[in-house]
Amino acid sequence: MKPRTRILAALLVLILAIGLAVLWGCISGAGDDDDAFDDDAGDDDTGDDDDDDDSAGEPPQAPGDLAVDEVKKYQATLSWTDNSGNESGFVLERKTGSEDWEQVAQLDADVAGATDTGLECDGASYSYRVKAFNDAGDSDYSDQADTVTLDCWTTETVDATDEVGTYSSIAVDAGDDVHIAYFNETDKDLKYAVYQTDDWTVDTVDEGGNVGYYCSLALDEGGFAHFSYFDTVTDDLKYATNMGQAWTIETADATGTVGLFTSIAVDGNEQAFIAYHDQGLYDLKYATNASDAWTTGILDSASEVGMDTSIAVEAGGIVHVTYTDSTLLTLKYASKDLVTATSETVDSIGMPGYQTSLVRSNGESHVSYLGVGGVLRYGVRNASQWTLQTVDSDGQVGLDSSLALDAGRHAHISYWDLDNQDLKYAQNVSGAWTVLTVDSEGDVGSDTSIALDSAGRPHISYYDETNGDLRHATTAEMQ
């Protein structure tokens, strides 16, 4: 080998040796650094805590002890035990019968209870389960808890003193307090019951002789009561109000035998309008105190008319009345503005039109009434056209009907099933009529009257013939 070649080979060996040495140093240094990190990690208390903390990548533990603590008509209140400290929240699920589970609430961490609202009442069955969750996943579900909701309708006796409860008339004020006017058959008095807070209070409005027949109640915007009724001693139409705190009683019409089949409405100015029958002249009459003093007029005198009246009043004192024509055996409708009064036949098939109940809404007239054969009928007048239908035809079922409309202008009707002596209720909220029996304990359900509270839930007053009591039925929670 030549000298120059030897020198180059030596240089290459030297360079290779230096490179290997450097490479070995890098590898050795990296290993030393790793050993140092592991030692720090081993000495780090925080790292030890992470090994013990159940929040480090672990789903939470399943909640326990799920229970339904309270059940009402439309809601259930539940509670459970929080078994973990690392949940982000909880998911409550519900199912009905064999249906699939659905989520009804997602709740924050550390919450151990919830109230599920919007349930169906009347013995609907519900099942619940709950789970916890965090970023690592969901816990197992809790055990299942089952419940059944309460009956939709609650019935109660309002007044059991003497023989009371006929001619009942009900109204609900803006605060959802319930007001009922009714007749005391024993003492021949006009009585008044009010439900406020958690109890009924009962008062006698007029006890001057033999008064209170055909009583009708309306509330003004301030919640004050206005009554119309018949005084059989004087054969007069009477009026009473508590607008002045104490009761004020007046005679609205004393011309002949007047004041049977009364119905009262109050306008926005707290002025009363009363429809009633003139027994002497067989006319349909009306009376009002809109001009402070009482004035009266005739709405229909074509034949023997004016029984079973129901009145509604609109702004400007425009009056609408449904009533019976006993000569022609028809249901009739009258209206009166400031100038003229008109009347027309609504239904003339068979012998319809008894025991009418009228409501005005959005320019339409709605009426429930007793149809031929004892069926329950319902009609709507849009412009000048009446649309009529049968609601319940299962025997003689449509007596003493009373009508109310909810905010969606759906009809709610209370009525008396004479054949079975039951209180019944019908509504068309879904578009089709739903009919059910509210109370069947004894001979109950006559002299019905219905009103809706601010939530659209019905309140019905009615007479218990078996016990001689005034009763009240509702789907609302009475506190």
Side-chain angles (χ1 to χ4, degrees), residues 133-417:
F133 67 89
N134 62 16
D135 290 339
D138 296 344
S139 73
D140 292 334
Y141 283 103
S142 67
D143 290 337
Q144 180 175 306
D146 302 317
T147 190
V148 176
T149 56
L150 300 182
D151 291 341
C152 293
W153 289 91
T154 299
T155 61
E156 62 180 334
T157 297
V158 177
D159 189 352
T161 60
D162 303 323
E163 188 84 9
V164 293
T166 55
Y167 302 110
S168 79
S169 180
I170 196 170
V172 179
D173 64 29
D176 286 339
D177 294 331
V178 183
H179 305 245
I180 306 175
Y182 57 104
F183 182 58
N184 182 337
E185 187 72 39
T186 301
D187 295 333
K188 311 300 181 186
D189 297 336
L190 173 63
K191 300 194 73 174
Y192 175 52
V194 181
Y195 188 93
Q196 292 177 312
T197 310
D198 59 359
D199 200 8
W200 290 96
T201 59
V202 175
D203 191 13
T204 298
V205 178
D206 191 348
E207 53 187 353
N210 193 355
V211 295
Y213 292 89
Y214 304 105
C215 61
S216 179
L217 166 67
L219 301 177
D220 59 35
E221 293 180 355
F224 293 107
H226 302 255
F227 301 84
S228 62
Y229 55 103
F230 180 53
D231 183 335
T232 62
V233 175
T234 61
D235 290 336
D236 295 339
L237 171 67
K238 301 285 289 288
Y239 164 82
T241 183
N242 61 355
M243 284 185 60
Q245 305 303 322
W247 290 108
T248 299
I249 298 173
E250 302 171 357
T251 297
D253 189 354
T255 58
T257 302
V258 291
L260 290 79
F261 303 102
T262 78
S263 178
I264 191 170
V266 179
D267 66 10
N269 297 318
E270 300 176 340
Q271 306 299 324
F273 294 78
I274 306 172
Y276 57 102
H277 177 58
D278 184 328
Q279 183 66 24
L281 299 175
Y282 303 111
D283 293 340
L284 170 66
K285 298 188 70 175
Y286 76 96
T288 180
N289 61 359
S291 59
D292 293 331
W294 285 98
T295 59
T296 64
I298 296 175
L299 291 175
D300 190 354
S301 60
S303 52
E304 187 173 344
V305 294
M307 286 73 75
D308 297 314
T309 70
S310 185
I311 192 171
V313 63
E314 295 179 308
I318 299 175
V319 172
H320 305 263
V321 183
T322 52
Y323 57 101
T324 302
D325 184 329
S326 296
T327 300
L328 300 177
L329 302 177
T330 59
L331 169 66
K332 298 191 72 175
Y333 168 78
S335 62
K336 178 187 180 304
D337 56 23
L338 297 177
V339 179
T340 59
T342 61
S343 63
E344 63 190 54
T345 297
V346 178
D347 193 348
S348 59
I349 300 175
M351 298 172 56
Y354 289 93
Q355 300 164 352
T356 73
S357 182
L358 172 69
V359 176
R360 285 281 295 180
S361 177
N362 199 36
E364 296 179 339
S365 294
H366 300 246
V367 62
S368 65
Y369 60 100
L370 179 66
V372 60
V375 303
L376 175 65
R377 298 270 285 169
Y378 171 71
V380 180
R381 185 183 193 269
N382 191 333
S384 60
Q385 181 67 42
W386 283 96
T387 301
L388 307 176
Q389 59 183 292
T390 298
V391 177
D392 190 350
S393 59
D394 189 17
Q396 298 185 74
V397 295
L399 287 77
D400 293 351
S401 75
S402 180
L403 170 67
L405 299 183
D406 60 27
R409 291 189 292 150
H410 305 115
H412 301 253
I413 307 174
S414 63
Y415 56 107
W416 183 34
D417 179 342

Side-chain angles (χ1 to χ4, degrees), residues 46-60 85-87 134-137:
T46 303
D48 288 340
D49 287 346
D50 285 344
D51 290 340
D52 296 335
D53 189 351
D54 60 0
S55 66
E58 295 292 333
N86 66 332
E87 78 274 355
N134 62 16
D135 290 339

Side-chain angles (χ1 to χ4, degrees), residues 89-93 103-107 129-133 141:
F90 296 91
V91 171
L92 178 66
E93 297 182 358
Q103 179 176 319
V104 294
Q106 180 170 312
L107 307 154
R129 65 185 184 182
V130 63
K131 66 180 178 180
F133 67 89
Y141 283 103

